[in-house]
C-alpha cells in the first residue's frame, strides 16, 4: 500500500493505491489463482490493459465480496457489506444520488467530524474530493462491493419517494385554496391570475419535485392528464407508463400554468395545442424538456419529454448492435456519399442511433451539419440547426440552405415529406453522406415509403446504402431466473419466428454449441426485487440492418414489394428484429415475452 498526503491549505487529499505485487502474492498464497494465471494476466495487461481485479473475477474462482476483502486487507482499511444495512436518511443524502451512481460511492456513517464512505475504487480521487468539499468533514474511505452499492441506491429511491409524497401531500391543499380564491367571482381565470398561480410557492415546489423525481426515475415522458374528478400524473419508464400520483382536479390549472411559464407558452390559451421547451441543470448535467399541451374534454393535457443533453458514452455495441448488423453500419458510415436510414416508430431510439453514428464520424477532417426538430443532444464541432416551421424554417428549407455550407456529412432529423426526401436523395447524389430517420415498421418498409413520397426507384438504388430498423426492449436485472422452453412455448415461438434461420446467427456468435436442441437452450424470466418491482431496468435495442445489395436493387427497380426485399435480405444474411430479440433473450438481456410485445406493437 502506498499513501501520499498532500496538504493544500484546508484540503487534505489522500492518495491510496493497492500494492499489486502484494495482492498477487496474497491471491497465490490463498490458492485463488496460480502462477500460470499470473502469466496469463501479465500478457493481457500488456495487450489490453486489463486490471488485476477484473482478471481475477473473470476466472470465476472467487466472488467479488471475497476479492474486495483481500484488497481491503492489502490497503489496511475496513471492508463493509451494506446489503442488510439501513443508512440514516440525513447521512445518505450527503452524497447526491447521481454522484453515488456515477462514482459508486455512498455515505455510510457520520461520527462527529468524521464521515465513513464506502466505495468500489478506493483511489477514486474526484469522488473523495467532491464529498470532502460538499460536507467539510474528514473522509474515512471503506471498501465495499457492487451488490452493496446497488442495495444503497435502492434506499435512495425509497427515500426520494417518501420525500416526494410528503411535499405533494403538504402543498396540494394550498393549491386548491389559491384556485378557489381566484375563481370566487365566477369569471374565467385571467392571464394575470394564472401567472400568480404559477408563481405560488406550493405550485413551484410540486412541479420542481415532479420533474426532479422523474429524472431520478430515468423517466422519458411525464403525462399530466385531467379527468372528471382528479388529475393523473404518469411516468413513462423504459417505454411503459406507470401511475406516479393522483392529485385533486382543482390542482390542474395551477400546475399547467407553472409548466407553461417555464416553457414560455401563452397562459390564457386553452383552446389550441401549444409546444415549448425549457432547460435546467441538475448536478452539473443540462437537461432539456419538450412540452406539449393539448385541449381535452376535462381540461388541458400536458406531456413533458425529458431530453438529457449528452451523447457521450454511447457506442453502437452499447446500443445492442453486434455481428453482421454492426459491420454493415460501419461499412455504410465509411461511404463518402449515399444515405443511411434508421427506421422505427416514435420512441424506438432512432435519434440516439444517429447521434452515436455522428459521434463516431465526428473528426477534424469532416464538416458535419444537421437539421433537427428538436435538437435532442448538443454535440461539439457539429453545426446543428433547429427547425422552426412557424417562420418557414422547415426540414426542406433548412436542408436546402445547409447544402450551400459545403458539408461532408448531413443529418436530417426526419424524412417526413416528399420535398425533404427529394432534397436528401439529391444531396446523396452530389457527394454527401446523409443520415436520417423515417417512420416505418421494418427496414424493407422504408423503400415503399420513400417511393410513396415521390422518390423514383432508380434514385433509391443509386443512393440508399444501409437501412436500419429498431425497437427498444426492457433489460432484465441481475436477479433474473433461468428456465427452458416447454413444447407448447416452443411451438408458439416457431409460429412467429423462423427458428432455423435464427439458429444460424446464434451459432455464428458462439452463444450455443452447434446442434443444441432448442429445449436445452436457456432463457430467462424477470424476478421482482428491491432494485426493480417488475424485474426490468433500462432498455437495449433489437435491430435489423438491410444492406441494399445488387439483387435488392433489381427487386426495387422492377417494383417488388417490401416482403420480397425482406426475403432476399434474409437470404443474404440479414438478422431480423425478432431474431435479434431471440439472440438478446438467450444472452439474458431480455425475455421472449418482452421481445414479442415490442415487435407486435
Amino acid at each position: 500500500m502506498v499513501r501520499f498526503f498532500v496538504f493544500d491549505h484546508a484540503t487534505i487529499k489522500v492518495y491510496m493505491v493497492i500494492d499489486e505485487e502484494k495482492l498477487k502474492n496474497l491471491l497465490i498464497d490463498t490458492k485463488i489463482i496460480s502462477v500460470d494465471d499470473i502469466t496469463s494476466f501479465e500478457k493481457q495487461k500488456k495487450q489490453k490493459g486489463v486490471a488485476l481485479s477484473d482478471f481475477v473475477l473473470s476466472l470465476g474462482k472467487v466472488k467479488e465480496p471475497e476479492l474486495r476483502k483481500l484488497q481491503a486487507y492489502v490497503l489496511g482499511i475496513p471492508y463493509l457489506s451494506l446489503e442488510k444495512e439501513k443508512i440514516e436518511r440525513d447521512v445518505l443524502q450527503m452524497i447526491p444520488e447521481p454522484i453515488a451512481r456515477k462514482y459508486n460511492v455512498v455515505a455510510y456513517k457520520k461520527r462527529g467530524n468524521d464521515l465513513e464512505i464506502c466505495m468500489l475504487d478506493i483511489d477514486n480521487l474526484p469522488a473523495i474530493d467532491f464529498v470532502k468539499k460538499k460536507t467539510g468533514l474528514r473522509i474515512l474511505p471503506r471498501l465495499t462491493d457492487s451488490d452493496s452499492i446497488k442495495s444503497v441506491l435502492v434506499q435512495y429511491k425509497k427515500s426520494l419517494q417518501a420525500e416526494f409524497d410528503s411535499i405533494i401531500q403538504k402543498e396540494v391543499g394550498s393549491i386548491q385554496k389559491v384556485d378557489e380564491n381566484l375563481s370566487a367571482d365566477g369569471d374565467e381565470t385571467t392571464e394575470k391570475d394564472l401567472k400568480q398561480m404559477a408563481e405560488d410557492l406550493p405550485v413551484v415546489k410540486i412541479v420542481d419535485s415532479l420533474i426532479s423525481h422523474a429524472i431520478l426515475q430515468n423517466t422519458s415522458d411525464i403525462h399530466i392528464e385531467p379527468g372528471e374528478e382528479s388529475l393523473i400524473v404518469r411516468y413513462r419508464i423504459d417505454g411503459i407508463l406507470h401511475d406516479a400520483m393522483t392529485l385533486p382536479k382543482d390542482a390542474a390549472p395551477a400546475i399547467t400554468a407553472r409548466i407553461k411559464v417555464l416553457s414560455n407558452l401563452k397562459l390564457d390559451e386553452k383552446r389550441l395545442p401549444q409546444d415549448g421547451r425549457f432547460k435546467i441543470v441538475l448536478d452539473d448535467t443540462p437537461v432539456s424538456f419538450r412540452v406539449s399541451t393539448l385541449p381535452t374534454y376535462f381540461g388541458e393535457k400536458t406531456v413533458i419529454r425529458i431530453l438529457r443533453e449528452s451523447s457521450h458514452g454511447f457506442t453502437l455495441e452499447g446500443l445492442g448492435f453486434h455481428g453482421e448488423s454492426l459491420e454493415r453500419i460501419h461499412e455504410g458510415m465509411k461511404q463518402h456519399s449515399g444515405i443511411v436510414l434508421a427506421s422505427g416508430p416514435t420512441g424506438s431510439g432512432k435519434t440516439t442511433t444517429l447521434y452515436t453514428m455522428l459521434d463516431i464520424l465526428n473528426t477534424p477532417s469532416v464538416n458535419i451539419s444537421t437539421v433537427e426538430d428538436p435538437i435532442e443532444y448538443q454535440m461539439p464541432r457539429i453545426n446543428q440547426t433547429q427547425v422552426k416551421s412557424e417562420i418557414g424554417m422547415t426540414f426542406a428549407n433548412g436542408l436546402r440552405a445547409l447544402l450551400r455550407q459545403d458539408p461532408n456529412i448531413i443529418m436530417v432529423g426526419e424524412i417526413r415529406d416528399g420535398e425533404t426526401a427529394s432534397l436528401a436523395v439529391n444531396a446523396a447524389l452530389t457527394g454527401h453522406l446523409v443520415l436520417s430517420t423515417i417512420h416505418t415498421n421494418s427496414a424493407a418498409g422504408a423503400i415503399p415509403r420513400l417511393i410513396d413520397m415521390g422518390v423514383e426507384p432508380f434514385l433509391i438504388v443509386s443512393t440508399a446504402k444501409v437501412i436500419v430498423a429498431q425497437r427498444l426492449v426492457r433489460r432484465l436485472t441481475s436477479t433474473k431466473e433461468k428456465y427452458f422452453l416447454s413444447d407448447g412455448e416452443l411451438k408458439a415461438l416457431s409460429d412467429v419466428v423462423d427458428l432455423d434461420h435464427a439458429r444460424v446467427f446464434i451459432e455464428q456468435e458462439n452463444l450455443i454449441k452447434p446442434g443444441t436442441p432448442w429445449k436445452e437452450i436457456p432463457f430467462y424470466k424477470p424476478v421482482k426485487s428491491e432494485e426493480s418491482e417488475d424485474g426490468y431496468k433500462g432498455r437495449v435495442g433489437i435491430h435489423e440492418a438491410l444492406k441494399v445489395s445488387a439483387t435488392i436493387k433489381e427487386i426495387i427497380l422492377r417494383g417488388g414489394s417490401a416482403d420480397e426485399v425482406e426475403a432476399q435480405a434474409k437470404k443474404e444474411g440479414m438478422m431480423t428484429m425478432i431474431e435479434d430479440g431471440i439472440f438478446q433473450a438467450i444472452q439474458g438481456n431480455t425475455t421472449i415475452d418482452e421481445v414479442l410485445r415490442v415487435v407486435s406493437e
Side-chain angles (χ1 to χ4, degrees):
M1 176 181 61
V2 181
R3 299 190 186 188
F4 300 95
F5 295 89
V6 180
F7 296 86
D8 179 15
H9 299 294
T11 304
I12 303 176
K13 295 183 180 178
V14 183
Y15 294 73
M16 304 183 73
V17 181
I18 292 177
D19 187 330
E20 202 166 83
E21 284 301 318
K22 190 173 179 181
L23 182 59
K24 281 182 198 174
N25 293 333
L26 188 59
L27 289 166
I28 293 170
D29 290 343
T30 52
K31 297 183 180 179
I32 290 172
I33 60 175
S34 65
V35 176
D36 289 340
D37 290 331
I38 290 295
T39 304
S40 175
F41 162 68
E42 295 293 352
K43 190 181 294 183
Q44 289 190 37
K45 181 181 179 182
K46 189 175 182 180
Q47 292 175 349
K48 304 177 184 177
V50 175
L52 179 59
S53 58
D54 293 335
F55 173 78
V56 173
L57 290 172
S58 71
L59 294 176
K61 296 180 180 179
V62 65
K63 293 185 177 179
E64 188 192 4
E66 282 68 37
L67 178 61
R68 297 293 181 193
K69 288 175 186 176
L70 292 174
Q71 289 178 321
Y73 175 78
V74 171
L75 283 166
I77 63 171
Y79 163 84
L80 295 174
S81 174
L82 306 178
E83 284 193 70
K84 296 181 180 179
E85 294 283 344
K86 175 72 173 123
I87 300 174
E88 292 179 13
R89 186 167 171 270
D90 292 343
V91 174
L92 187 69
Q93 298 296 335
M94 286 183 171
I95 300 178
E97 194 264 358
I99 299 296
R101 188 177 296 278
K102 181 178 179 181
Y103 292 110
N104 288 312
V105 54
V106 294
Y108 169 61
K109 196 171 286 184
K110 181 179 178 293
R111 290 192 183 93
N113 199 41
D114 293 341
L115 178 66
E116 292 183 60
I117 63 171
C118 293
M119 315 172 69
L120 293 184
D121 298 310
I122 208 70
D123 56 345
N124 192 339
L125 301 181
I128 295 174
D129 285 346
F130 172 85
V131 177
K132 178 165 182 60
K133 287 174 183 174
K134 185 178 185 298
T135 62
L137 301 172
R138 188 174 71 153
I139 304 304
L140 304 177
R142 308 287 186 247
L143 262 187
T144 191
D145 56 82
S146 300
D147 288 339
S148 290
I149 294 290
K150 285 180 183 177
S151 70
V152 177
L153 292 176
V154 170
Q155 292 183 41
Y156 270 105
K157 186 175 179 180
K158 291 180 178 178
S159 174
L160 287 165
Q161 183 68 54
E163 181 182 1
F164 182 62
D165 291 343
S166 173
I167 290 173
I168 296 298
Q169 291 170 8
K170 182 180 176 183
E171 307 297 348
V172 158
S174 302
I175 291 182
Q176 287 180 275
K177 290 174 186 176
V178 171
D179 191 23
E180 286 162 6
N181 292 338
L182 290 169
S183 305
D185 56 4
D187 295 334
E188 187 174 340
T189 312
T190 66
E191 183 175 7
K192 182 179 177 182
D193 293 336
L194 287 166
K195 191 169 184 180
Q196 182 183 335
M197 291 164 65
E199 293 173 353
D200 193 61
L201 190 58
V203 180
V204 173
K205 282 184 178 179
I206 284 184
V207 173
D208 287 353
S209 299
L210 188 150
I211 289 170
S212 60
H213 192 246
I215 293 171
L216 292 171
Q217 292 263 63
N218 285 321
T219 301
S220 61
D221 302 89
I222 305 170
H223 290 245
I224 303 170
E225 304 169 339
E228 185 175 5
E229 297 178 352
S230 61
L231 180 70
I232 307 295
V233 179
R234 299 196 287 170
Y235 290 163
R236 188 180 294 279
I237 302 171
D238 296 335
I240 306 292
L241 277 171
H242 302 269
D243 282 1
M245 72 202 72
T246 301
L247 302 176
K249 175 73 184 291
D250 293 331
I255 289 175
T256 303
R258 176 61 186 167
I259 294 168
K260 283 183 174 181
V261 165
L262 289 171
S263 46
N264 201 27
L265 300 179
K266 293 180 180 178
L267 290 175
D268 57 348
E269 179 55 82
K270 303 175 185 177
R271 299 166 301 170
L272 296 173
Q274 296 189 74
D275 296 300
R277 293 174 69 95
F278 66 96
K279 182 188 291 188
I280 66 170
V281 177
L282 184 69
D283 296 313
D284 299 324
T285 302
V287 183
S288 282
F289 302 86
R290 193 168 76 213
V291 177
S292 171
T293 66
L294 179 72
T296 68
Y297 186 79
F298 293 113
E300 287 183 280
K301 177 188 175 183
T302 305
V303 176
I304 304 173
R305 167 66 62 88
I306 301 174
L307 306 166
R308 292 159 182 81
E309 294 191 354
S310 173
S311 62
H312 297 292
F314 290 130
T315 63
L316 290 172
E317 292 85 351
L319 296 179
F321 289 98
H322 58 90
E324 183 70 19
S325 297
L326 184 62
E327 290 179 18
R328 288 179 174 185
I329 292 173
H330 280 295
E331 187 180 332
M333 290 192 296
K334 288 177 183 174
Q335 306 300 314
H336 294 292
S337 64
I339 296 178
V340 176
L341 284 175
S343 68
T346 301
S348 61
K350 303 185 299 295
T351 304
T352 300
T353 297
L354 287 194
Y355 275 112
T356 304
M357 292 183 196
L358 286 181
D359 203 30
I360 295 168
L361 294 167
N362 190 10
T363 62
S365 61
V366 295
N367 176 12
I368 302 177
S369 294
T370 75
V371 185
E372 305 171 59
D373 183 26
I375 297 172
E376 294 196 15
Y377 305 110
Q378 293 179 349
M379 302 186 71
R381 300 181 67 91
I382 291 181
N383 311 291
Q384 296 174 268
T385 302
Q386 170 72 51
V387 167
K388 292 182 180 177
S389 54
E390 65 272 15
I391 59 172
M393 184 59 171
T394 61
F395 275 115
N397 289 339
L399 181 53
R400 191 178 286 110
L402 71 83
L403 283 171
R404 295 192 287 270
Q405 296 275 316
D406 189 33
N408 302 101
I409 299 167
I410 299 167
M411 194 267 267
V412 182
E414 183 186 342
I415 294 177
R416 58 174 68 156
D417 56 53
E419 188 179 9
T420 306
S422 176
L423 284 166
V425 167
N426 284 321
L429 284 171
T430 53
H432 304 88
L433 178 62
V434 179
L435 309 180
S436 190
T437 70
I438 190 167
H439 282 267
T440 59
N441 288 327
S442 65
I447 293 164
R449 176 76 177 119
L450 288 171
I451 293 171
D452 186 53
M453 288 181 183
V455 181
E456 295 291 344
F458 75 89
L459 292 176
I460 295 174
V461 301
S462 300
T463 55
K465 304 298 181 185
V466 179
I467 304 171
V468 179
Q470 66 182 74
R471 300 287 191 280
L472 293 175
V473 294
R474 290 181 293 168
R475 191 190 290 270
L476 285 167
T477 63
S478 57
T479 56
K480 58 199 171 192
E481 176 188 337
K482 184 186 291 187
Y483 79 104
F484 296 89
L485 294 177
S486 66
D487 289 336
E489 289 171 326
L490 195 54
K491 185 181 184 306
L493 186 61
S494 64
D495 289 340
V496 293
V497 62
D498 184 344
L499 292 178
D500 290 333
H501 193 255
R503 173 189 288 280
V504 173
F505 301 106
I506 295 163
E507 290 180 353
Q508 279 177 355
E509 300 203 30
N510 300 318
L511 276 188
I512 61 171
K513 292 179 180 178
T516 304
W518 280 99
K519 283 186 179 181
E520 296 178 16
I521 298 173
F523 289 88
Y524 297 86
K525 293 179 180 178
V527 176
K528 294 181 180 181
S529 65
E530 286 194 346
E531 183 184 0
S532 170
E533 292 180 1
D534 56 11
Y536 295 98
K537 189 170 185 181
R539 289 190 288 177
V540 65
I542 57 174
H543 311 88
E544 60 187 32
L546 188 154
K547 180 182 178 182
V548 185
S549 64
T551 48
I552 288 175
K553 287 178 182 179
E554 289 177 11
I555 295 172
I556 296 169
L557 287 171
R558 65 175 168 78
S561 67
D563 288 341
E564 289 180 76
V565 171
E566 182 170 311
Q568 181 60 36
K570 288 174 70 174
K571 287 180 184 176
E572 295 176 3
M574 182 183 82
M575 177 189 271
T576 64
M577 268 188 296
I578 192 166
E579 291 167 351
D580 191 24
I582 300 299
F583 178 92
Q584 296 285 358
I586 292 172
Q587 281 194 312
N589 293 330
T590 189
T591 64
I592 290 177
D593 289 344
E594 178 67 7
V595 171
L596 296 177
R597 178 188 70 81
V598 169
V599 172
S600 66
E601 287 179 352

